[in-house]
Amino acid sequence: MTSTLIWIAVFLFAVGLYLSWTAGRLDRLHARIDAARAALDAQLLRRASVAQELATSGVLDPAASIVLYEAAHAARQAEEDHREVAESELSQALRAVLGEEGQMEAVRAAPGGPAAVEELAQAVRRVPMARRFHNDAVRAARALRRHRKVRWFRLAGHAPFPLAFEMDDEPPVALADRPTT
């Protein structure tokens, strides 16, 4: 009788230890999602800021400046529900404005233009990487949260189900192949 109770206690301890480890892993994944989301937000804000600076610099033609400024402003001011759409529209505006012949030459020819182009290229290049890191963390957390043990024992607690950030992040052709310095 005593040995049976000991084995039951050892078994319950092992199950508890396993569930505790799984809950800790899930908590670390949620922390990783939060950190990746903060990095993504920072990169999106940087891209929108650099685009706004370029739009107000006076080197673009007036129509292109207005299109780029409005898209960047909308991306910076977008509420969380509409953020993916606003960021996709900024990507499209960047491709439209910088895809025109002569726009990139005008920017590069302006005083401080090469530095502005490099800063924009870096900002545009970092957004897909930050989004990929965020979405990878979301994918890992979702996979763990789908396990029965996590659902049955409610190991996720009250944490919201993680959502991926889906947007159009294709860079303008003029900035896509620029080497980093």
Side-chain angles (χ1 to χ4, degrees):
M1 174 83 171
T2 305
S3 69
T4 305
L5 289 176
I6 291 174
W7 282 112
I8 290 174
V10 167
F11 174 76
L12 290 176
F13 178 76
V15 168
L17 189 64
Y18 178 70
L19 290 176
S20 174
W21 175 81
T22 303
R25 181 171 170 231
L26 189 58
D27 186 51
R28 287 188 302 277
L29 281 172
H30 282 140
R32 190 171 128 202
I33 289 170
D34 291 342
R37 182 56 188 243
L40 175 61
D41 287 341
Q43 293 305 323
L44 292 172
L45 180 62
R46 181 171 185 257
R47 181 181 75 148
S49 297
V50 172
Q52 268 187 325
E53 287 177 24
L54 180 63
T56 58
S57 68
V59 296
L60 300 174
D61 66 70
S65 292
I66 291 172
V67 167
L68 190 57
Y69 181 83
E70 287 180 355
H73 181 70
R76 289 183 73 172
Q77 301 299 320
E79 300 211 6
E80 198 59 37
D81 297 346
H82 305 292
R83 181 105 189 258
E84 293 172 349
V85 173
E87 294 294 346
S88 293
E89 289 172 356
L90 177 56
S91 295
Q92 293 166 1
L94 283 166
R95 282 195 306 271
V97 168
L98 299 178
E100 293 179 16
E101 294 288 325
Q103 288 289 14
M104 287 303 290
E105 288 78 24
V107 173
R108 284 191 185 104
V117 169
E118 185 58 34
E119 187 177 3
L120 182 61
Q122 287 178 2
V124 165
R125 213 176 299 118
R126 288 179 180 159
V127 167
M129 288 188 294
R131 189 174 74 87
R132 195 172 312 118
F133 289 138
H134 175 266
N135 288 348
D136 287 347
V138 166
R139 204 172 0 263
R142 282 180 167 183
L144 185 57
R145 287 182 70 152
R146 282 191 201 106
H147 290 191
R148 281 188 211 134
K149 65 180 176 263
V150 173
R151 290 192 321 259
W152 288 350
F153 293 102
R154 300 179 186 201
L155 299 180
H158 297 289
F161 195 73
L163 299 174
F165 194 86
E166 298 300 332
M167 64 172 270
D168 174 8
D169 60 4
E170 184 179 333
V173 175
L175 299 176
D177 298 323
R178 294 189 51 79
T180 33
T181 55

